[in-house]
Amino acid sequence: MTETEQLLATARQVATDEARALDALAEGFDNRFADAVRLILEAKGRVIVSGIGKSGHIGRKIAATLASTGTPAHFVHPAEASHGDLGMLSKGDVVLAISNSGEAPELADLLLFTRRFDIPLIGLSSRPGSTLMTQADVHLQIPAMGEACGYGIVPSISTTLTLAMGDALAIAIMKYRDFRPENFRDFHPGGKLGARLSKVRDLMHEGIALPLVQDSTPMSDALIEISQKGFGVVGVTGAEGALVGIITDGDLRRHMEGLLDHSAADVMTKAPTTIAPDALAEEAVAVMNARKITCLFVVDPQSGPEALGLLHIHDCLRAGLG
């Protein structure tokens, strides 16, 4: 076997071992998981996550995932907890303590504090008889399946299982609370993810920026509106202000002969495609791409047929979509 073949064989073995462990974790979920979820849902304060070493690294990620999905959470380093950070815990909090062995001495003061002040404790470990698990109010047990290195000394399978357990907790709580993508964006306003979760109302043009004319408007005035607003289109409204049509460059070309003798109603395309203000901007991009158009008027079917805004494909591109 060549060196490359040996390296690839090791990589496949690690992935296979971890996948097998995840299957065992999935099969082993029981009422204790539901109890942990309920304990977090009932907490009036925050979820305090703690762990040392690799468990601590995973704990930070679990705390971040909980916080970003609507469950207030904070990571407290157990060594720092022993030197003043226990003051971060209070009545109403719930503690999620992580230790694969369940015997990390650095967690001792934290565990004692939760017992002394009656703060609910969730233990996450692979050893049911460990100190952590015997002290905990709820036990989250991961399968004890060794580590991918084969010697039991490199946290790999255990950290993967711990991470998966944390993800399962966060997502179960998120779904119970009906936490949706639009809520998720409140905690992720920046970057590509924030752009993907932007709503149409976040990007649309409104007010005096809207290119609108009445259906009786002469085309000479409609052309001025198109030119001044700079979107290459104009929306056409009826007598009561409802959006009844749109005039695009295609409509202008089709009516080029005697264009200025027409009214906006004569030239417009009726019943234009619209989008709701609370729709995701990513959905608007998909609609524009599918229909090969560059903008959408924004109409809220709940409040009425009036045009509330205009979303142009360039607005979406500037936000990082498309």
Side-chain angles (χ1 to χ4, degrees):
M1 182 181 293
T2 67
E3 180 183 78
T4 297
E5 289 172 336
Q6 289 177 335
L7 293 173
L8 294 177
T10 299
R12 295 188 182 101
Q13 169 256 311
V14 171
T16 299
D17 288 349
E18 295 196 356
R20 188 179 298 115
L22 287 170
D23 286 338
L25 176 68
E27 293 174 2
F29 282 118
D30 55 24
N31 290 340
R32 293 174 297 180
F33 179 83
D35 291 340
V37 170
R38 292 189 190 97
L39 203 59
I40 293 172
L41 289 170
E42 293 167 0
K44 293 181 172 57
R46 301 169 300 166
V47 179
I48 304 298
V49 184
S50 190
I52 194 74
K54 301 301 185 293
S55 293
H57 295 314
I58 299 299
R60 290 182 187 276
K61 192 275 180 186
I62 293 174
T65 300
L66 286 166
S68 70
T69 51
T71 299
H74 186 73
F75 179 83
V76 173
H77 193 286
E80 297 296 338
S82 298
H83 294 274
D85 281 3
L86 283 173
M88 293 183 178
L89 279 69
S90 63
K91 285 281 189 179
D93 291 341
V94 57
V95 170
L96 172 60
I98 305 169
S99 170
N100 184 42
S101 68
E103 300 293 347
E106 293 85 356
L107 287 171
D109 290 336
L110 179 66
L111 301 187
L112 180 61
F113 189 87
T114 64
R115 304 303 79 189
R116 179 181 178 186
F117 292 100
D118 197 26
I119 296 174
L121 173 64
I122 301 170
L124 202 171
S125 174
S126 65
R127 298 184 181 178
S130 63
T131 301
L132 171 60
M133 297 294 256
T134 55
Q135 290 293 318
D137 299 297
V138 176
H139 315 138
L140 290 177
Q141 185 178 346
I142 59 173
M145 300 183 66
E147 302 293 1
C149 65
Y151 304 109
I153 58 174
V154 180
S156 46
I157 290 176
S158 61
T159 51
T160 296
L161 293 175
T162 302
L163 181 61
M165 181 68 80
D167 288 342
L169 280 173
I171 293 172
I173 294 166
M174 180 184 81
K175 290 192 173 183
Y176 181 90
R177 288 175 168 161
D178 197 26
F179 192 87
R180 297 178 176 274
E182 51 267 33
N183 308 120
F184 198 71
R185 183 181 182 272
D186 294 337
F187 302 100
H188 297 78
K192 184 70 174 179
L193 182 57
R196 286 187 55 206
L197 297 174
S198 296
K199 293 182 181 179
V200 168
R201 68 166 69 253
D202 298 325
L203 304 178
M204 72 182 189
H205 302 270
E206 53 189 325
I208 61 172
L210 275 182
L212 292 173
V213 296
Q214 291 187 337
D215 52 5
S216 59
T217 301
M219 278 306 300
S220 56
D221 293 336
L223 288 172
I224 293 173
E225 181 75 357
I226 293 173
S227 175
Q228 287 180 340
K229 297 300 171 65
F231 296 107
V233 300
V234 66
V236 182
T237 61
E240 297 182 0
L243 183 72
V244 295
I246 187 174
I247 298 174
T248 68
D249 58 349
D251 297 310
L252 297 179
R253 288 194 298 271
R254 284 188 289 273
H255 296 83
M256 188 61 69
E257 187 175 347
L259 177 64
L260 298 183
D261 296 328
H262 293 296
S263 68
D266 298 329
V267 177
M268 72 180 186
T269 295
K270 297 180 180 179
T273 302
T274 61
I275 192 87
D278 288 326
L280 291 177
E282 192 173 46
E283 177 186 341
V285 172
V287 171
M288 285 188 271
N289 287 336
R291 295 183 176 270
K292 295 181 171 56
I293 56 179
T294 60
C295 59
L296 288 168
F297 275 97
V298 182
V299 174
D300 189 347
Q302 302 298 321
S303 62
E306 296 84 6
L308 304 178
L310 177 74
L311 182 68
H312 197 280
I313 189 66
H314 289 166
D315 303 316
C316 300
L317 294 174
R318 280 193 292 269
L321 296 168

PDB file of all heavy atoms in Angstrom, residues 84 93 106 216 220 242:
ATOM      1  N   GLY A  84     -14.142  33.131  40.644  1.00  0.00           N
ATOM      2  CA  GLY A  84     -15.031  34.287  40.597  1.00  0.00           C
ATOM      3  C   GLY A  84     -16.160  34.210  39.596  1.00  0.00           C
ATOM      4  O   GLY A  84     -17.190  34.864  39.779  1.00  0.00           O
ATOM      5  N   ASP A  93     -31.206  29.859  36.162  1.00  0.00           N
ATOM      6  CA  ASP A  93     -30.330  29.288  35.137  1.00  0.00           C
ATOM      7  C   ASP A  93     -30.397  27.766  35.184  1.00  0.00           C
ATOM      8  O   ASP A  93     -30.874  27.167  36.145  1.00  0.00           O
ATOM      9  CB  ASP A  93     -28.881  29.731  35.362  1.00  0.00           C
ATOM     10  CG  ASP A  93     -28.656  31.200  35.089  1.00  0.00           C
ATOM     11  OD1 ASP A  93     -29.496  31.815  34.403  1.00  0.00           O
ATOM     12  OD2 ASP A  93     -27.638  31.739  35.565  1.00  0.00           O
ATOM     13  N   GLU A 106     -11.809  19.836  37.449  1.00  0.00           N
ATOM     14  CA  GLU A 106     -12.052  21.273  37.315  1.00  0.00           C
ATOM     15  C   GLU A 106     -13.534  21.618  37.444  1.00  0.00           C
ATOM     16  O   GLU A 106     -13.894  22.771  37.709  1.00  0.00           O
ATOM     17  CB  GLU A 106     -11.534  21.768  35.955  1.00  0.00           C
ATOM     18  CG  GLU A 106     -10.020  21.701  35.784  1.00  0.00           C
ATOM     19  CD  GLU A 106      -9.563  20.335  35.311  1.00  0.00           C
ATOM     20  OE1 GLU A 106     -10.402  19.414  35.187  1.00  0.00           O
ATOM     21  OE2 GLU A 106      -8.350  20.181  35.046  1.00  0.00           O
ATOM     22  N   SER A 216     -54.448  56.581 -16.055  1.00  0.00           N
ATOM     23  CA  SER A 216     -54.840  57.601 -17.037  1.00  0.00           C
ATOM     24  C   SER A 216     -53.689  58.528 -17.431  1.00  0.00           C
ATOM     25  O   SER A 216     -53.857  59.416 -18.265  1.00  0.00           O
ATOM     26  CB  SER A 216     -55.990  58.438 -16.463  1.00  0.00           C
ATOM     27  OG  SER A 216     -55.582  59.066 -15.245  1.00  0.00           O
ATOM     28  N   SER A 220     -46.165  60.359 -22.084  1.00  0.00           N
ATOM     29  CA  SER A 220     -45.085  61.341 -21.998  1.00  0.00           C
ATOM     30  C   SER A 220     -44.688  61.555 -20.543  1.00  0.00           C
ATOM     31  O   SER A 220     -43.500  61.628 -20.206  1.00  0.00           O
ATOM     32  CB  SER A 220     -45.516  62.670 -22.637  1.00  0.00           C
ATOM     33  OG  SER A 220     -46.713  63.158 -22.027  1.00  0.00           O
ATOM     34  N   ALA A 242     -54.722  50.872  -6.219  1.00  0.00           N
ATOM     35  CA  ALA A 242     -54.248  49.497  -6.350  1.00  0.00           C
ATOM     36  C   ALA A 242     -53.293  49.370  -7.528  1.00  0.00           C
ATOM     37  O   ALA A 242     -53.467  50.023  -8.568  1.00  0.00           O
ATOM     38  CB  ALA A 242     -55.429  48.549  -6.537  1.00  0.00           C
TER      39      ALA A 242
END
